[in-house]
Amino acid sequence: MDDELNALRRTRMRWNTPLSEAHAELLLDRMALEAGQHLVDLGCGWGELLLRALARTPGLRATGVDTDLTGLDRGRAAARERGVAVDFAESDAATWAVPAERAFCIGAAHIFGSTEAALEGLTRVVPSGRLLYGDGFWAAPPNAAAEEIFGPDTLTLPDLLDVARAAGWRVLHFSTADQLEWDDFESTSRAGWQEWVAAHPADPRAAEVRDWLDGRLGQYVRDYRGVLGFTYLVLGR
């Protein structure tokens, strides 16, 4: 897909994770955010959860880190519109070395190479404080197609919690995405392109986009709906 279409794909997504508004508020509560703390979001995308944290806790110092220029530009525009100060940094989250009292790392373990590497590396970012960590896990035994999509390093939830503790984290809170959150996430991940195809049915790129949309929906309902879970851990050190 070209840059124009890639920029449109996630435009209907609130954030790039299966998470409801109410669930997000619960997680922010558990992070115990306070004015004066530095909060860094590693693999932030467009940083919507970071912006929500700022809105409810004025006085936070906020940094979003990613290499996705489209996402960073969207985040900067949203911050300007809402009148909040966020430093959106184009940088590799896996090598970020500025310590903070609070951090988010949601759906970004692949940047570090694995869940184990992410949870170990994040101890250097949060030497003392709290981390909101989000990651996929096998909620049910996967078929071969799901294993191929998500890779051999995906863990079960008990194993993921064990890895967190082995890296020196205390599990202060955990919760998992429910089916409605997953279905909404998958639907909104397709909605930007669904709208584009409906508005441009004769565009030469429309057939390729329709094929991708149909393939993504098929993979979801056939291969990993109810099989891949997603957990949110509030971890402390």
Side-chain angles (χ1 to χ4, degrees):
M1 302 296 176
D2 58 33
D3 290 343
E4 176 193 0
L5 287 176
N6 282 330
L8 286 173
R9 187 186 148 211
R10 295 186 173 90
T11 51
R12 295 304 181 213
M13 301 177 77
R14 181 185 303 114
W15 30 56
N16 193 14
T17 191
L19 183 66
S20 67
E21 298 265 7
H23 197 168
E25 288 297 314
L26 170 66
L27 296 173
L28 292 175
D29 283 342
R30 298 297 185 266
M31 284 294 287
L33 301 169
E34 297 179 1
Q37 293 171 341
H38 184 196
L39 170 62
V40 60
D41 188 348
L42 298 170
C44 65
W46 53 92
E48 180 63 27
L49 192 61
L50 191 63
L51 295 172
R52 301 291 180 99
L54 277 171
R56 57 181 277 156
T57 314
L60 278 175
R61 184 160 61 92
T63 303
V65 181
D66 211 306
T67 57
D68 176 12
L69 295 180
T70 298
L72 292 172
D73 286 345
R74 177 177 170 181
R76 290 175 183 129
R80 286 193 298 271
E81 181 180 332
R82 301 180 202 185
V84 294
V86 182
D87 177 20
F88 282 103
E90 182 190 350
S91 186
D92 180 2
T95 60
W96 188 259
V98 180
E101 293 89 1
R102 297 290 187 270
F104 298 157
C105 184
I106 299 174
H110 62 279
I111 297 171
F112 295 83
S114 67
T115 295
E116 292 90 337
L119 287 165
E120 180 62 37
L122 289 163
T123 63
R124 295 187 289 274
V125 179
V126 186
S128 177
R130 294 192 181 194
L131 164 70
L132 173 56
Y133 179 78
D135 206 347
F137 67 93
W138 293 131
N143 62 21
E147 285 188 314
E148 183 176 355
I149 295 167
F150 298 104
D153 294 328
T154 303
L155 304 174
T156 65
L157 182 56
D159 287 344
L160 198 160
L161 294 174
D162 286 345
V163 167
R165 286 190 289 265
W169 297 101
R170 298 297 302 167
V171 179
L172 306 178
H173 165 90
F174 85 90
S175 49
T176 60
D178 65 23
Q179 197 59 68
L180 179 58
E181 287 175 300
W182 264 111
D183 290 346
D184 184 57
F185 168 67
E186 288 288 334
S187 295
T188 56
S189 76
R190 300 189 307 274
W193 279 359
Q194 296 276 27
E195 293 173 3
W196 181 85
V197 165
H200 303 87
D203 190 286
R205 300 165 292 179
E208 183 182 1
V209 174
R210 276 191 291 266
D211 287 345
W212 185 92
L213 290 167
D214 293 345
R216 174 66 177 257
L217 178 60
Q219 280 184 327
Y220 177 53
V221 299
R222 223 182 10 250
D223 298 325
Y224 63 94
R225 186 178 187 268
V227 174
L228 185 72
F230 201 90
T231 188
Y232 299 93
L233 310 178
V234 176
L235 303 172
R237 287 171 56 78

Short mmCIF file of all heavy atoms in Angstrom, two decimals, residues 80-103:
data_model
loop_
_atom_site.label_atom_id
_atom_site.label_comp_id
_atom_site.label_asym_id
_atom_site.label_seq_id
_atom_site.Cartn_x
_atom_site.Cartn_y
_atom_site.Cartn_z
N ARG A 80 -1.67 19.72 20.11
CA ARG A 80 -1.90 21.15 19.84
C ARG A 80 -3.39 21.49 19.98
O ARG A 80 -3.75 22.50 20.58
CB ARG A 80 -1.40 21.51 18.44
CG ARG A 80 0.11 21.57 18.31
CD ARG A 80 0.51 22.25 17.01
NE ARG A 80 0.03 21.51 15.84
CZ ARG A 80 0.71 20.54 15.23
NH1 ARG A 80 1.92 20.18 15.67
NH2 ARG A 80 0.21 19.94 14.16
N GLU A 81 -4.22 20.64 19.44
CA GLU A 81 -5.68 20.88 19.47
C GLU A 81 -6.19 20.91 20.91
O GLU A 81 -7.08 21.71 21.24
CB GLU A 81 -6.39 19.81 18.66
CG GLU A 81 -7.89 19.96 18.60
CD GLU A 81 -8.55 18.86 17.79
OE1 GLU A 81 -7.89 18.31 16.87
OE2 GLU A 81 -9.72 18.54 18.07
N ARG A 82 -5.63 20.07 21.77
CA ARG A 82 -6.11 19.97 23.16
C ARG A 82 -5.35 20.90 24.11
O ARG A 82 -5.68 20.99 25.28
CB ARG A 82 -6.00 18.53 23.64
CG ARG A 82 -6.81 17.56 22.79
CD ARG A 82 -6.69 16.13 23.28
NE ARG A 82 -7.01 15.20 22.22
CZ ARG A 82 -7.08 13.88 22.37
NH1 ARG A 82 -6.86 13.34 23.56
NH2 ARG A 82 -7.37 13.09 21.34
N GLY A 83 -4.32 21.55 23.59
CA GLY A 83 -3.58 22.51 24.40
C GLY A 83 -2.74 21.89 25.50
O GLY A 83 -2.61 22.46 26.59
N VAL A 84 -2.16 20.71 25.20
CA VAL A 84 -1.30 20.05 26.18
C VAL A 84 0.11 19.90 25.60
O VAL A 84 0.29 19.85 24.38
CB VAL A 84 -1.84 18.67 26.60
CG1 VAL A 84 -3.16 18.82 27.35
CG2 VAL A 84 -2.01 17.74 25.39
N ALA A 85 1.09 19.84 26.49
CA ALA A 85 2.48 19.76 26.06
C ALA A 85 2.98 18.33 26.14
O ALA A 85 3.00 17.72 27.22
CB ALA A 85 3.35 20.66 26.95
N VAL A 86 3.35 17.78 24.99
CA VAL A 86 3.93 16.45 24.90
C VAL A 86 5.14 16.52 23.99
O VAL A 86 5.09 17.13 22.92
CB VAL A 86 2.94 15.41 24.32
CG1 VAL A 86 3.57 14.02 24.30
CG2 VAL A 86 1.64 15.38 25.10
N ASP A 87 6.23 15.90 24.40
CA ASP A 87 7.40 15.79 23.55
C ASP A 87 7.30 14.47 22.79
O ASP A 87 7.51 13.41 23.36
CB ASP A 87 8.68 15.81 24.40
CG ASP A 87 9.93 15.63 23.56
OD1 ASP A 87 9.87 15.86 22.33
OD2 ASP A 87 10.97 15.23 24.12
N PHE A 88 6.92 14.53 21.51
CA PHE A 88 6.87 13.34 20.67
C PHE A 88 8.23 13.19 19.98
O PHE A 88 8.61 14.02 19.16
CB PHE A 88 5.76 13.43 19.64
CG PHE A 88 4.39 13.15 20.21
CD1 PHE A 88 3.50 14.18 20.47
CD2 PHE A 88 3.99 11.85 20.48
CE1 PHE A 88 2.24 13.93 20.99
CE2 PHE A 88 2.73 11.57 21.00
CZ PHE A 88 1.85 12.62 21.26
N ALA A 89 8.95 12.14 20.35
CA ALA A 89 10.32 11.94 19.88
C ALA A 89 10.38 10.81 18.86
O ALA A 89 9.91 9.70 19.12
CB ALA A 89 11.23 11.61 21.07
N GLU A 90 10.97 11.10 17.70
CA GLU A 90 11.20 10.06 16.71
C GLU A 90 12.47 9.30 17.12
O GLU A 90 13.59 9.75 16.89
CB GLU A 90 11.38 10.67 15.31
CG GLU A 90 11.56 9.62 14.23
CD GLU A 90 11.99 10.21 12.88
OE1 GLU A 90 11.95 11.45 12.74
OE2 GLU A 90 12.36 9.42 11.99
N SER A 91 12.28 8.14 17.71
CA SER A 91 13.41 7.39 18.25
C SER A 91 13.01 5.94 18.43
O SER A 91 11.82 5.61 18.53
CB SER A 91 13.86 7.99 19.59
OG SER A 91 15.03 7.36 20.05
N ASP A 92 14.01 5.07 18.49
CA ASP A 92 13.79 3.64 18.71
C ASP A 92 13.49 3.40 20.19
O ASP A 92 14.33 3.65 21.05
CB ASP A 92 15.05 2.88 18.28
CG ASP A 92 14.93 1.37 18.46
OD1 ASP A 92 13.85 0.89 18.89
OD2 ASP A 92 15.91 0.67 18.18
N ALA A 93 12.28 2.91 20.47
CA ALA A 93 11.88 2.70 21.86
C ALA A 93 12.78 1.69 22.56
O ALA A 93 13.00 1.77 23.77
CB ALA A 93 10.42 2.25 21.92
N ALA A 94 13.32 0.73 21.82
CA ALA A 94 14.13 -0.32 22.43
C ALA A 94 15.46 0.20 22.96
O ALA A 94 16.07 -0.43 23.83
CB ALA A 94 14.39 -1.44 21.43
N THR A 95 15.91 1.34 22.47
CA THR A 95 17.18 1.90 22.93
C THR A 95 16.99 3.15 23.77
O THR A 95 17.97 3.80 24.14
CB THR A 95 18.09 2.23 21.73
OG1 THR A 95 17.43 3.19 20.88
CG2 THR A 95 18.39 0.98 20.91
N TRP A 96 15.75 3.49 24.10
CA TRP A 96 15.47 4.68 24.89
C TRP A 96 16.06 4.49 26.28
O TRP A 96 15.82 3.48 26.93
CB TRP A 96 13.97 4.93 24.97
CG TRP A 96 13.59 6.23 25.62
CD1 TRP A 96 13.17 6.43 26.89
CD2 TRP A 96 13.60 7.51 24.99
NE1 TRP A 96 12.90 7.76 27.11
CE2 TRP A 96 13.16 8.45 25.95
CE3 TRP A 96 13.93 7.96 23.71
CZ2 TRP A 96 13.03 9.81 25.67
CZ3 TRP A 96 13.81 9.31 23.43
CH2 TRP A 96 13.37 10.22 24.40
N ALA A 97 16.81 5.46 26.75
CA ALA A 97 17.55 5.26 28.00
C ALA A 97 17.31 6.38 29.03
O ALA A 97 18.03 6.46 30.02
CB ALA A 97 19.05 5.16 27.71
N VAL A 98 16.31 7.22 28.79
CA VAL A 98 16.03 8.30 29.74
C VAL A 98 15.10 7.76 30.83
O VAL A 98 13.97 7.36 30.54
CB VAL A 98 15.37 9.50 29.04
CG1 VAL A 98 15.09 10.61 30.05
CG2 VAL A 98 16.24 10.01 27.90
N PRO A 99 15.54 7.70 32.08
CA PRO A 99 14.70 7.12 33.13
C PRO A 99 13.49 7.98 33.45
O PRO A 99 13.51 9.20 33.27
CB PRO A 99 15.65 7.01 34.32
CG PRO A 99 16.70 8.04 34.08
CD PRO A 99 16.86 8.13 32.59
N ALA A 100 12.42 7.32 33.90
CA ALA A 100 11.18 8.01 34.23
C ALA A 100 10.52 7.30 35.41
O ALA A 100 10.79 6.13 35.68
CB ALA A 100 10.24 8.02 33.03
N GLU A 101 9.65 8.05 36.10
CA GLU A 101 8.92 7.45 37.22
C GLU A 101 7.75 6.59 36.76
O GLU A 101 7.32 5.68 37.47
CB GLU A 101 8.38 8.54 38.15
CG GLU A 101 9.44 9.34 38.89
CD GLU A 101 9.90 10.56 38.09
OE1 GLU A 101 9.38 10.79 36.96
OE2 GLU A 101 10.78 11.28 38.58
N ARG A 102 7.23 6.88 35.58
CA ARG A 102 6.09 6.15 35.03
C ARG A 102 6.33 5.89 33.55
O ARG A 102 6.93 6.72 32.85
CB ARG A 102 4.79 6.94 35.20
CG ARG A 102 4.38 7.21 36.65
CD ARG A 102 3.93 5.94 37.35
NE ARG A 102 3.39 6.18 38.68
CZ ARG A 102 4.11 6.18 39.79
NH1 ARG A 102 5.44 5.98 39.73
NH2 ARG A 102 3.54 6.36 40.97
N ALA A 103 5.83 4.75 33.05
CA ALA A 103 6.00 4.44 31.63
C ALA A 103 4.82 3.60 31.15
O ALA A 103 4.23 2.84 31.91
CB ALA A 103 7.31 3.70 31.38
#
